[in-house]
Amino acid sequence: MARRRAAVRTDSLSLASLRAAYSQPVSVVLSRAQMARVRRSAATIDRMIARGGAVYGVNTGFGLLAQTRIPTDQLSALQRNLVLSHSAGVGALLSDAVVRLVLVLKIGSLAQGFSGVRPQTLLALARLLETETYPCIPSKGSVGASGDLAPLAHLAAALLGVGEVRAAGRVLPAAEGLRRIGLQPLDLAPKEGLALLNGTQVSTALALAGLFAIQDVFGAALVTGALSVDALKGSDVPFDDRIHVLRRQPGQRRVARALKRLLAGSRIRASHLTCERVQDPYSLRCQPQVMGACLDVIESAGQTLAREANAVTDNPLVFASDDEVLSGGNFHAEPVALAADQLALAVAEIGSLSERRTALLIDPKMSGLPAFLVKESGVNSGFMVAQVTAAALVAENKTLAVPASVDSIPTSAGQEDHVSMATHGARRLLEMAANAASVVAIELLAAAQGIEFHRPLTSSRPLEAALKTLRRTVPPYDRDRFFAPDIAAATALVSSGQLAELVEI
């Protein structure tokens, strides 16, 4: 039986629908109105060619060669040559999940009817998506201006039967992949190669993938942060709403409320309400200020990426209703580059704060718990090197967080003299999110250990639920054992989004 796929509406792509497309196979819905606009756009290109006027990339060369006119009988060859020559990517292949997002974004952009492609070209892309036949796209080679030229050229090459595709985990020659799903290699019409290559879809897909991973890590870090507060017998007073109203930062107030809810009803907290400690370290006390700032940045970047996902970003653009073709620069991925840099900074800070709490938990002078969170420390080293691993990952993320958007190297003989560097700026986000997920996972293990040293006292209902979920796969650390599987299991839990679901924010 064929697997049912979620259907994604391409006329209005939401972050929720894009997350679904990233996490599972999907098909797309193309309305009659969209297909009518696509036909009108393609007809406009045909009329422009018949009139004999110069239209960039349709009957002229590209970049520095834009002044070169191309004879009518070579227009199809111009588009094919563009795809083949620009298929210059290198490096590891993008994952199926990212390529799936790229396809959804490219289909959504072309379906708006401003790109001059024919309906059959759009439907060929949709066929690749619905049959899970994913073009093999190298991850490196784009500077994020004039579109993601090299990676999108590899996508377009697959439609020509050139290059390779991946289907059910197998890499096949593109021509064979097309044959298996009932497609013939495309002969590109004027403008089609350029429309397929121009655009920010690869940068945007990579940034969206990073966003989704960072959102899951963020939610998990709120849970582990609350667990650490309880394990360290910290105070929930710093989360009092009256404090945060005065700061006037919305994310800060929302995080404080979320932490307050996570800790509500904790018997551990009730056991030390009258203790003499005046203030907790910043990594406990200032979670609303730090994580709230991260939340505001994450949501702002998400809004930018949602707009970009629904944008038309190739060039030139076809305005069929005005019978005009206008050349501009919507392919410049600066909005994506800046959003990716913001996300990189946020996820670096999430991990940094989490690691500091782990450092508190393993230090008996600060925590009042057994040294390195293990009984009989000395013969057992406990969480000593787990914290070192967290520190190493935090340090790595600091270097990865250096902004990419401030760099620019001119390309195409100086014609493309300012570029965004959005593509690798976005690509690093998944690595950074994975690093941060492991940092938060180590805190989860450490905080759980700390909570259990306070038995028979219990934490709050949501935090005990988080602990129970962890203990399904990772038992308490009673003596030294091979530690890596524990961290791997906890990291999988953090990355799954299950802990984030416990957070009301």
Side-chain angles (χ1 to χ4, degrees):
M1 180 181 294
R3 177 167 49 175
R4 289 179 61 88
R5 295 175 183 82
V8 174
R9 291 178 59 92
T10 54
D11 54 357
S12 181
L13 293 167
S14 66
L15 287 177
S17 66
L18 291 165
R19 184 185 264 266
Y22 179 62
S23 63
Q24 62 186 343
V26 294
S27 60
V28 290
V29 177
L30 294 166
S31 68
R32 290 182 179 180
Q34 286 175 304
M35 297 307 287
R37 289 195 294 271
V38 168
R39 283 190 290 271
R40 287 195 296 269
S41 179
T44 301
I45 291 294
D46 291 339
R47 287 195 301 274
M48 293 286 178
I49 294 169
R51 290 174 191 159
V55 181
Y56 172 74
V58 175
N59 54 11
T60 75
F62 305 100
L64 193 66
L65 304 176
Q67 306 308 316
T68 304
R69 286 292 296 268
I70 308 300
T72 302
D73 63 354
Q74 294 183 26
L75 296 187
S76 181
L78 174 70
Q79 300 300 311
R80 180 180 177 86
N81 289 345
L82 175 71
V83 172
L84 298 180
S85 66
H86 285 46
S87 297
V90 299
L93 298 179
L94 296 177
S95 68
D96 287 352
V98 170
V99 175
R100 189 163 55 238
L101 261 184
V102 173
L103 283 167
V104 169
L105 295 173
K106 178 56 80 174
I107 291 166
S109 180
L110 298 179
Q112 296 187 48
F114 295 96
S115 303
V117 302
R118 299 166 299 168
Q120 55 262 48
T121 302
L122 189 62
L123 293 174
L125 288 169
R127 183 64 177 160
L128 292 178
L129 183 68
E130 70 184 7
T131 59
E132 301 174 47
T133 305
Y134 302 120
C136 292
I137 302 177
S139 58
K140 299 181 181 181
S142 173
V143 295
S146 204
D148 291 314
L149 293 174
L152 286 173
H154 284 270
L155 182 147
L159 293 177
L160 308 183
V162 176
E164 295 176 323
V165 297
R166 194 162 44 204
R170 287 186 58 206
V171 174
L172 306 169
E176 181 181 346
L178 294 180
R179 179 181 57 77
R180 289 186 176 203
I181 61 174
L183 289 180
Q184 294 292 323
L186 277 179
D187 290 321
L188 295 174
K191 176 69 168 67
E192 288 190 326
L194 191 57
L196 290 166
L197 267 60
N198 253 195
T200 64
Q201 286 80 32
V202 172
S203 296
T204 305
L206 286 165
L208 285 167
L211 170 70
F212 301 146
I214 290 167
Q215 286 173 332
D216 290 336
V217 173
F218 174 87
L222 289 183
V223 173
T224 60
L227 277 167
S228 290
V229 169
D230 237 12
L232 291 160
K233 290 193 172 180
S235 174
D236 60 355
V237 171
F239 311 141
D240 189 301
D241 189 55
R242 291 171 292 180
I243 296 170
H244 305 287
V245 168
L246 298 180
R247 188 67 182 273
R248 304 182 192 279
Q249 296 290 350
Q252 176 178 323
R253 191 178 184 193
R254 289 165 63 194
V255 166
R257 287 175 170 176
L259 290 167
K260 192 81 170 175
R261 283 190 288 264
L262 284 168
L263 287 160
S266 168
R267 294 186 179 181
I268 297 173
R269 172 61 180 136
S271 73
H272 61 95
L273 283 172
T274 59
C275 72
E276 295 182 358
R277 188 190 302 174
V278 177
Q279 290 186 331
D280 295 323
Y282 288 1
S283 60
L284 301 180
R285 182 171 24 128
C286 295
Q287 288 184 79
Q289 288 78 6
V290 177
M291 295 293 281
C294 292
L295 176 61
D296 287 337
V297 164
I298 291 167
E299 291 191 340
S300 174
Q303 291 167 7
T304 296
L305 296 176
R307 290 190 293 269
E308 192 73 7
N310 288 281
V312 181
T313 56
D314 62 290
N315 183 65
L317 297 175
V318 182
F319 294 87
S321 59
D322 302 318
D323 202 33
E324 286 190 79
V325 177
L326 304 180
S327 186
N330 279 2
F331 49 69
H332 199 296
E334 193 75 5
V336 181
L338 291 172
D341 281 345
Q342 290 177 315
L343 289 169
L345 293 170
V347 74
E349 285 294 270
I350 292 166
S352 178
L353 199 66
S354 173
E355 183 276 329
R356 287 293 80 203
R357 293 190 295 265
T358 299
L360 290 175
L361 286 161
I362 66 171
D363 184 345
K365 299 185 300 295
M366 298 296 294
S367 69
L369 298 168
F372 301 107
L373 299 171
V374 66
K375 294 178 180 178
E376 299 180 18
S377 54
V379 67
N380 292 298
S381 294
F383 281 67
M384 181 186 295
V385 175
Q387 185 267 329
V388 172
T389 297
L393 293 170
V394 168
E396 185 175 324
N397 269 4
K398 287 178 183 178
T399 63
L400 290 171
V402 173
S405 60
V406 296
D407 186 24
S408 180
I409 298 177
T411 59
S412 192
Q415 176 76 1
E416 298 157 6
D417 59 350
H418 182 276
V419 299
S420 73
M421 301 299 183
T423 319
H424 66 264
R427 190 180 67 242
R428 68 184 156 161
L429 294 177
L430 282 173
E431 181 180 2
M432 294 185 72
N435 287 343
S438 291
V439 173
V440 173
I442 290 167
E443 184 192 3
L444 173 62
L445 294 167
Q449 195 80 353
I451 291 289
E452 289 169 338
F453 279 123
H454 295 309
R455 297 296 190 224
L457 295 176
T458 57
S459 187
S460 66
R461 184 174 297 176
L463 296 183
E464 288 291 342
L467 185 55
K468 183 178 180 181
T469 302
L470 173 68
R471 290 297 178 231
R472 291 194 189 109
T473 53
V474 182
Y477 196 95
D478 56 352
R479 61 177 61 85
D480 282 348
R481 61 175 183 255
F482 189 49
F483 210 149
D486 292 8
I487 297 173
T491 301
L493 177 58
V494 168
S495 300
S496 72
Q498 291 182 69
L499 294 181
E501 291 173 0
L502 296 171
V503 179
E504 297 178 35
I505 198 164

